[in-house]
Amino acid sequence: MPQLVLDLHHTEADAARSLRADVLAGLAATPKWLPPKWFYDARGSALFEEITRLPEYYPTRAEREVLEREADEIARVTGAETLVELGSGSSEKTRLLLDALHRQGLLKRFVPLDVSTSALAMAASSIASEYTDVEVHGVVGDFTAHLDAIPAVPNRMIAFLGGTIGNLEPQERAVFLRSVREALEPGEWLLLGADLVKDPGVLVPAYDDSAGVTAEFNRNVLHVLNRELGADFEVEQFEHVARWNEGAERIEMWLRARRAMSVTVVELGLHLSFAEGEELRTETSAKFRRQGLADELHAAGLALRRFWTDDAGRFSVALAQV
Ligand code: AVJ
């Protein structure tokens, strides 16, 4: 029987508290906004999986191309014995890394960290049953708060894939990268997937697909608020908007009120109104350049050692060392 351990640093009650705080702060602001982490209930996670298979959404395929090509090199350069994965997700790309580390006789331990207990338990148990000689130590936690819960064992690599780093604001990114640096010992590694700046003619359709899946994904956050907080958003009265913010070099997703509306959030005692055409920001997805990433890593005490992109130069995987 493989060894499987789960540590809880984040409960349903913590999640409920932080949802309330986020909604109170975001819906009181001008313009209104919500953090993208609340997209991912069961339906939102399924919609995101569907997004990763859309013809317009290149990041998942581009990152997989890099990992397929470079996984052995990543294992050779890092010599990592423990792979820590932040936001463990579907773990299909994780397997490329686990396999490479395993082939080279390095892999001792896998540490998936995710806010969702159910997603984590599923990922952890399927890896534990497939890699029977590997210890699986799952951590239920928030990657912006619980990196200190990563077990203190030698030769670790933290993988943060998918481009999720882009969801953080520059200041949040600086704090996050610092906390990665602080969780690691000198010589240990960060493997970072980051989407790159490119033609808005490619970027915008990736966030506004012709099948309308991203539109459903975007509106899903309102379903989450209706269910979790007793809100009464008329979800279909909000139109999906994706636009490229040239100055900030980021994609933004918004929900635009088709007409004037009032909304009550019963559990927060909150009444709000939307003017016709008013927009609520639901996600920012920053896009990067090699030098900017190197600078941000350096500012956090991390040195960029390798930098790869897919053949089309759309998406990057960076390997940095403390
Ligand atoms: C999972 C945060 C990387 O920003 O591309 C996909 C989420 N949003 N389509 C991204 C997302 C709209 C995705 N990340």
Side-chain angles (χ1 to χ4, degrees):
M1 190 57 196
Q3 196 177 335
L4 173 62
V5 176
L6 290 190
D7 283 349
L8 281 148
H9 290 267
H10 183 88
T11 62
E12 296 295 316
D14 295 322
R17 240 190 321 275
S18 83
L19 174 64
R20 298 168 112 82
D22 285 352
V23 171
L24 275 174
L27 295 187
T30 311
K32 297 179 177 68
W33 66 283
L34 291 168
K37 66 191 265 200
W38 304 113
F39 284 134
Y40 300 93
D41 66 346
R43 178 169 182 265
S45 299
L47 285 165
F48 177 68
E49 286 302 312
E50 208 179 315
I51 287 172
T52 65
R53 293 188 292 269
L54 292 169
E56 296 98 331
Y57 193 76
Y58 61 84
T60 309
R61 285 184 297 275
E63 185 178 57
R64 188 188 307 127
E65 179 187 323
V66 178
L67 293 175
E68 277 170 354
R69 196 180 67 215
E70 304 297 345
D72 285 306
E73 176 70 358
I74 292 165
R76 192 189 64 75
V77 170
T78 63
E81 297 175 337
T82 291
L83 177 65
V84 180
E85 189 181 28
L86 307 184
S88 37
S90 81
S91 74
E92 171 215 345
K93 284 180 278 190
T94 317
R95 278 162 225 260
L96 295 169
L97 295 170
L98 290 172
D99 287 344
L101 294 166
H102 198 252
R103 272 197 297 275
Q104 295 183 29
L106 294 162
L107 186 65
K108 292 187 174 157
R109 194 176 293 98
F110 176 52
V111 180
L113 185 149
D114 202 285
V115 272
S116 159
T117 310
S118 58
L120 187 80
M122 235 149 64
S125 64
S126 76
I127 298 288
S129 63
E130 278 171 59
Y131 299 80
T132 51
D133 54 350
V134 173
E135 186 188 315
V136 178
H137 186 143
V139 179
V140 179
D142 181 334
F143 62 72
T144 63
H146 301 118
L147 297 192
D148 56 352
I150 295 169
V153 292
N155 300 329
R156 294 166 300 177
M157 168 166 56
I158 295 181
F160 190 40
L161 299 174
T164 305
I165 182 91
N167 277 174
L168 303 178
E169 302 283 326
Q171 182 54 31
E172 294 173 322
R173 258 175 359 236
V175 170
F176 167 73
L177 290 173
R178 265 271 155 223
S179 76
V180 168
R181 151 77 189 78
E182 272 156 23
L184 293 174
E185 296 297 328
E188 291 186 317
W189 301 89
L190 169 67
L191 184 72
L192 183 66
D195 198 9
L196 298 173
V197 173
K198 63 183 65 64
D199 184 347
V202 175
L203 281 165
V204 172
Y207 292 83
D208 193 7
D209 62 278
S210 59
V213 181
T214 308
E216 272 313 299
F217 173 75
N218 193 5
R219 281 190 284 264
N220 188 58
V221 73
L222 301 183
H223 286 299
V224 169
L225 268 48
N226 284 353
R227 184 186 65 237
E228 298 299 324
L229 300 174
D232 61 357
F233 284 97
E234 294 175 69
V235 178
E236 294 311 313
Q237 295 304 315
F238 288 84
E239 187 186 349
H240 170 64
V241 176
R243 71 167 76 93
W244 173 239
N245 180 329
E246 182 74 54
E249 295 195 323
R250 67 189 196 192
I251 285 282
E252 298 175 356
M253 298 208 310
W254 297 78
L255 289 168
R256 182 192 292 144
R258 297 186 202 273
R259 53 172 173 75
M261 276 176 277
S262 32
V263 175
T264 302
V265 186
V266 169
E267 291 195 27
L268 299 176
L270 192 66
H271 297 275
L272 22 126
S273 57
F274 283 83
E276 181 180 344
E278 184 178 343
E279 293 179 344
L280 158 66
R281 199 185 72 211
T282 52
E283 182 174 53
T284 62
S285 189
K287 306 305 169 188
F288 297 87
R289 299 173 186 274
R290 180 185 178 140
Q291 191 56 52
L293 273 175
D295 293 347
E296 289 190 36
L297 289 163
H298 181 78
L302 293 157
L304 182 62
R305 301 288 190 216
R306 294 284 191 286
F307 183 86
W308 301 282
T309 73
D310 62 310
D311 288 341
R314 296 168 297 180
F315 194 95
S316 69
V317 176
L319 186 58
Q321 188 174 32
V322 176

